[in-house]
Amino acid sequence: MNKLTIYTAALLLTGTILLAGCSADSTDSPADSDRQMQQEHREDTAGQTDSAEDAETMDDAIDIDGDTIEAGSAELSGNTVKITKGGTYTISGSGKMVVVDAKGEDVTLVLDDVTLNNDNGPGIYVKKAESLSLELRGDNAISCGDTFEYEALNAAVYSKADLSIQGEDTLRLSTGYGHGIKAKDSAVFNGNLTIDALQDGIHVNDVATFTGGTYRIKAASEGIESKDVLAIQDGTYDIQSADDCLNAGSSLDISGGTLDLVSQTNDAVDSNGSLTVSGGTIHALALQTPETAFDVDNTSFVISGGTIVAAGSMGTYPTEASQPLLMAEAAGIGNVRVEKAGKTILEGNLSSDGVSRGSVVLFLSSPEMKAGDTVTVFVNGESLREVTLEEGTSTLGTVSSMDGPGGMKGMQPGNSGDMGERQPGMMGEQPPEIPGNRNGGPEAG
């Protein structure tokens, strides 16, 4: 049997968990238990089995090399740890699942070289708590199968409490069912995460804030989604998704960080409310028609800073651009460079797989671009011709764009001459498969 090791901050205990209790009857539910009690039991035991080996439980305590964890703080059942009181718990070793059921209390789990492997449920499930903090030490991994016993618990890390993830070390998440991480409330991230998920890489129902860290995400749905507010303040992001790379329900704010975003079938950055870019470096690519690098649903779209090299099949006009934005029609993607007076002031590589993908609209902006500057745009070393930047948004070539943030505006002739008819775009091209992901799956919850 795999073993997990727990250390509690309060008792400073070390050693390996020993099963000191007696076997429990896994069918001891009262005959008159109502449906709700049965559902909660299913949630608590998601991914466990009823084998004799896995049915051992603690009556009063868990012995750790002769020391005792206070009764009711933690239990071990079927290689699953259950935390029932607030506090800090350091967990090492390998096992199946960690369940937190500590209503109204703050719990910190220090993951210290932990490996969790649950074929039919989440690796970490927070049923009840005021908040859960995951601190990362060493190399940690959670892997889940493609069929969950309890379908509602649709993530490798599933939290019904406010969630924070931090630490300088790593956590790798892989799941054939649901999301990599799902937080029903708000979440704050500053860790190093590698995620391969059938649905969203990270899915947050409330406010999601990223203050730093490194995120490598492959998702068969959306890369990072908040149903409310998504704020990217710092960090490094490499996101390949079938759907939107970043998606927010009410507002999306990018003020820092380095973001490399590739969407195979939808938008790179999508807000169903407002979108503000005030800092950071964004390389973004939307591979299919009629998608765009930035999609905003008929509300505020502001560019006030940051460095942007992005491309989509269509353009989106900001409602306000205090830092000039240049949208340029190009025959393909690849290495994109902007020169001013012979000096490169902006450069980025937009090749997702080394293949040029037909006519696109480039989004180009940087603090070195000023109204009145005359600049030249190059794609793969070929000049698109020069243009003089205006206040706000300038265009080069015939730009097919959105009507206001998010709708069709039609062909917009450039302010430096018409480059002719729009070339056949990416319509009908099949996007390359995202390595490690599987197509299909249940709808994100």
Side-chain angles (χ1 to χ4, degrees):
M1 178 189 296
N2 292 329
K3 293 182 179 179
L4 288 170
T5 302
I6 293 185
Y7 309 91
T8 66
L11 299 177
L12 300 177
L13 301 177
T14 63
T16 303
I17 291 180
L18 302 177
L19 294 175
C22 59
S23 296
D25 184 355
S26 62
T27 61
D28 58 358
S29 298
D32 59 351
S33 295
D34 59 24
R35 184 174 181 178
Q36 178 63 29
M37 292 177 65
Q38 294 176 13
Q39 176 172 311
E40 290 195 1
H41 173 73
R42 291 186 66 196
E43 293 182 8
D44 282 343
T45 58
Q48 299 185 46
T49 65
D50 292 326
S51 68
E53 180 183 36
D54 287 343
E56 295 179 282
T57 61
M58 296 309 304
D59 289 336
D60 297 316
I62 297 176
D63 287 341
I64 301 181
D65 285 353
D67 293 314
T68 301
I69 290 181
E70 180 184 353
S73 303
E75 303 170 358
L76 181 64
S77 175
N79 209 22
T80 293
V81 173
K82 184 174 181 180
I83 306 295
T84 57
K85 287 189 176 181
T88 297
Y89 302 82
T90 298
I91 306 178
S92 298
S94 59
K96 180 179 290 185
M97 185 179 184
V98 177
V99 177
V100 176
D101 190 358
K103 184 176 181 180
E105 301 196 52
D106 299 318
V107 175
T108 297
L109 300 182
V110 181
L111 304 185
D112 189 358
D113 289 323
V114 171
T115 299
L116 298 175
N117 186 354
N118 193 349
D119 289 338
N120 56 357
I124 295 177
Y125 169 40
V126 184
K127 180 183 179 183
K128 295 176 185 176
E130 182 68 22
S131 68
L132 175 75
S133 176
L134 293 181
E135 296 185 7
L136 308 181
R137 293 182 189 170
D139 184 17
N140 303 280
I142 299 175
S143 60
C144 301
D146 57 9
T147 303
F148 276 27
E149 180 180 354
Y150 190 74
E151 294 182 356
L153 305 183
N154 56 343
V157 174
Y158 188 101
S159 178
K160 292 184 178 181
D162 289 337
L163 174 68
S164 69
I165 299 180
Q166 58 189 329
E168 297 182 357
D169 291 324
T170 62
L171 173 60
R172 292 175 286 114
L173 301 167
S174 177
T175 179
Y177 178 87
H179 313 295
I181 296 172
K182 182 171 181 178
K184 296 282 286 185
D185 291 326
S186 62
V188 178
F189 298 88
N190 190 346
N192 299 314
L193 306 178
T194 299
I195 301 174
D196 184 356
L198 182 67
Q199 292 186 1
D200 300 342
I202 298 175
H203 181 102
V204 179
N205 281 9
D206 207 328
V207 178
T209 305
F210 291 78
T211 62
T214 301
Y215 305 88
R216 298 177 181 88
I217 298 175
K218 293 179 181 179
S221 187
E222 296 183 318
I224 298 175
E225 179 179 28
S226 167
K227 291 296 187 180
D228 191 4
V229 176
L230 174 57
I232 307 289
Q233 299 174 358
D234 201 356
T236 301
Y237 304 80
D238 181 354
I239 301 177
Q240 299 182 47
S241 63
D243 208 325
D244 303 326
C245 295
L246 303 178
N247 181 278
S250 63
S251 69
L252 201 164
D253 181 17
I254 301 173
S255 58
T258 300
L259 297 88
D260 290 297
L261 312 173
V262 178
S263 171
Q264 304 291 343
T265 64
N266 217 319
D267 306 307
V269 179
D270 186 348
S271 177
N272 296 317
S274 63
L275 171 63
T276 300
V277 179
S278 59
T281 298
I282 303 172
H283 292 171
L285 186 57
L287 290 176
Q288 281 203 332
T289 300
E291 312 307 337
T292 181
F294 301 95
D295 183 13
V296 187
D297 286 350
N298 297 308
T299 185
S300 172
F301 175 20
V302 176
I303 297 177
S304 60
T307 299
I308 300 172
V309 180
S313 66
M314 306 183 74
T316 305
Y317 278 73
T319 55
E320 178 184 343
S322 56
Q323 174 178 291
L325 170 69
L326 173 61
M327 288 195 294
E329 188 84 355
I333 56 175
N335 181 268
V336 180
R337 188 173 83 254
V338 178
E339 287 188 2
K340 179 173 67 175
K343 176 185 176 182
T344 297
I345 61 172
L346 180 64
E347 188 170 16
N349 190 354
L350 295 179
S351 296
S352 66
D353 55 7
V355 178
S356 181
R357 292 191 168 271
S359 183
V360 297
V361 175
L362 301 176
F363 295 74
L364 306 169
S365 185
S366 82
E368 294 191 60
M369 295 170 62
K370 310 292 184 184
D373 288 346
T374 297
V375 300
T376 305
V377 180
F378 296 84
V379 177
N380 295 323
E382 297 291 330
S383 171
L384 300 186
R385 75 177 61 177
E386 63 181 28
V387 58
T388 299
L389 299 177
E390 302 176 349
E391 296 281 353
T393 302
S394 305
T395 58
L396 174 60
T398 303
V399 174
S400 179
S401 61
M402 300 301 223
D403 182 12
M408 175 61 72
K409 198 171 188 175
M411 300 294 202
Q412 299 298 312
N415 59 11
S416 185
D418 191 346
M419 294 179 67
E421 294 294 326
R422 179 175 173 86
Q423 299 297 316
M426 297 171 284
M427 184 70 75
E429 294 187 10
Q430 295 299 314
E433 181 180 354
I434 302 175
N437 279 320
R438 299 140 298 274
N439 293 323
E443 183 70 19

